[in-house]
Amino acid sequence: MSAFVTDAGDSGLPLTGERTIPGLAEENYWFRRHEVVYRRVLDLCAGREVLEAGCGEGYGADMIASVARRVVAVDYDAATVAHIRTRYPRVSVVAGNLASLPLPDASVDVVVNFQVIEHLWDQPQFVAECARVLRPGGLLLMSTPNRITFSPGLDTPVNPFHTRELNAGELAELLTDGGFELRSMSGVFHGAGLAAMDERHGGSIIDAQIARALADAPWPEDLLADVAAVRCEDFDLLDCGPLPGSLRSCPPDGERDIDDSLDLVAIAVRP
C-alpha cells in the first residue's frame, strides 16, 4: 500500500501503489513501516546466502547485502530489474516468476518475502518453491499486511494489487501446510509517537493518507509534515507465540493482540 503519489523522486521508477519507494516525503510512512522489519531480520541474514523473492525497488535487498554473504533478488518487472542493477550493484538481481523461482534446489540459506505474498495468485505454490530452494534448516522470513486491520470487514482487499490477504492464523496455516515449522510470529504496531499522530489526524494517520490519495488532492501541510517525520523507531515490532494456538497475544505483557497488528511477520524453518 502506498500514498499513490505520482512523483517517483530520484528512483526513476513510477510509484504505482504496488511497491514502496524510498526518498519520498509522501511515501515515508509506508517505507518506514517496511524498513523496520528489514532491520529486525538482518542478524538472521548475516553471513548467509539470501534470496529476496519479490524485491520491489531493491532497498531492502541492499540492506541485507550489507551483512549477507550474497544476496540474489528476484522480481518479475523488467524495469525494476534494470533499476536494481544500476542502483544497488552489490545485489545480484534476476528477472523471474515467483511461482517458478529461477534458482536450483537447496541453493540458499534464507528466503526473504516481505509485503509480497498478498500479491500472489497461487500462494501455496510459492511457499513450495521457497521450500525447494532453501537448504535444510534454512529460514523463510515473511511479512504481510494483517487482513483484519488492513481491509477490515471487506471481502475484497482495499489495495487493488492484492489478491488474498491473510490474518495470523491463515499465514501460520499457509506456512505449516507447506511443510515449514513456524518459529515465531510478530506484529507491527504503532508506537506512542504514531498514536499521537493518529489522534491529530482524525483517529488514523493511515486513513488520512488514503483519503488524500482517493481525493487526488494536495497534501495538507500538517499531514505531510507528520508523514515525512515518521521513523522506524515509531513502530513497535512485538514477538508472539510460535504456534497457531498461541497467537492470541504478544509477550511480555500480553497487552497487544496479534489481531490488532498492522503487519504480520513470520519466521519459519525448512526441516
Side-chain angles (χ1 to χ4, degrees):
M1 185 69 177
S2 80
F4 296 105
V5 297
T6 56
D7 179 9
D10 296 331
S11 74
L13 291 174
L15 186 58
T16 63
E18 189 174 11
R19 60 176 162 240
T20 298
I21 292 178
L24 294 173
E26 298 92 339
E27 185 71 3
N28 185 58
Y29 169 87
W30 300 102
F31 170 66
R32 298 302 179 190
R33 180 165 150 180
H34 296 174
E35 185 185 27
V36 67
V37 182
Y38 282 102
R39 286 189 179 188
R40 172 66 69 90
V41 304
L42 286 180
D43 286 349
L44 297 176
C45 299
R48 297 184 174 184
E49 293 189 82
V50 180
L51 163 67
E52 181 163 25
C55 57
E57 191 272 343
Y59 66 87
D62 188 61
M63 288 179 64
I64 295 168
S66 69
V67 299
R69 182 164 70 246
R70 178 172 178 254
V71 176
V72 177
V74 174
D75 200 275
Y76 75 97
D77 182 68
T80 296
V81 170
H83 165 79
I84 293 170
R85 284 179 178 153
T86 300
R87 185 160 185 168
Y88 303 115
R90 60 185 174 182
V91 175
S92 299
V93 62
V94 181
N97 190 324
L98 300 193
S100 182
L101 291 168
L103 276 77
D105 295 356
S107 57
V108 295
D109 303 307
V110 180
V111 174
V112 173
N113 181 248
F114 289 165
Q115 306 296 312
V116 173
I117 190 70
E118 68 275 4
H119 294 260
L120 303 183
W121 288 103
D122 193 340
Q123 295 173 349
Q125 170 62 22
F126 169 68
V127 172
E129 278 293 280
C130 291
R132 180 184 66 79
V133 302
L134 278 167
R135 297 176 178 127
L139 298 177
L140 173 57
L141 314 179
M142 184 176 288
S143 76
T144 189
N146 179 9
R147 174 175 60 79
I148 295 173
T149 58
F150 200 79
S151 299
L154 298 178
D155 294 329
T156 302
V158 66
N159 189 315
F161 296 102
H162 292 182
T163 60
R164 180 196 176 212
E165 295 172 352
L166 304 164
N167 63 27
E170 291 162 347
L171 177 58
E173 183 178 28
L174 175 68
L175 297 175
T176 55
D177 284 355
F180 284 88
E181 296 175 359
L182 187 61
R183 174 181 292 182
S184 69
M185 183 80 73
S186 305
V188 176
F189 299 85
H190 280 181
L194 278 165
M197 290 185 190
D198 285 331
E199 290 299 316
R200 287 199 294 274
H201 298 284
S204 172
I205 194 171
I206 299 172
D207 289 347
Q209 292 177 82
I210 294 173
R212 177 266 161 205
L214 294 176
D216 193 25
W219 282 75
E221 290 185 7
D222 59 340
L223 175 61
L224 182 58
D226 273 350
V227 168
V230 174
R231 308 164 302 154
C232 286
E233 292 78 10
D234 293 320
F235 294 93
D236 292 334
L237 181 50
L238 303 178
D239 293 332
C240 300
L243 298 174
S246 307
L247 293 177
R248 299 310 309 166
S249 62
C250 297
D253 54 19
E255 293 180 356
R256 307 300 295 269
D257 192 312
I258 190 67
D259 285 347
D260 295 331
S261 67
L262 302 169
D263 296 317
L264 305 166
V265 184
I267 299 175
V269 181
R270 180 196 184 282

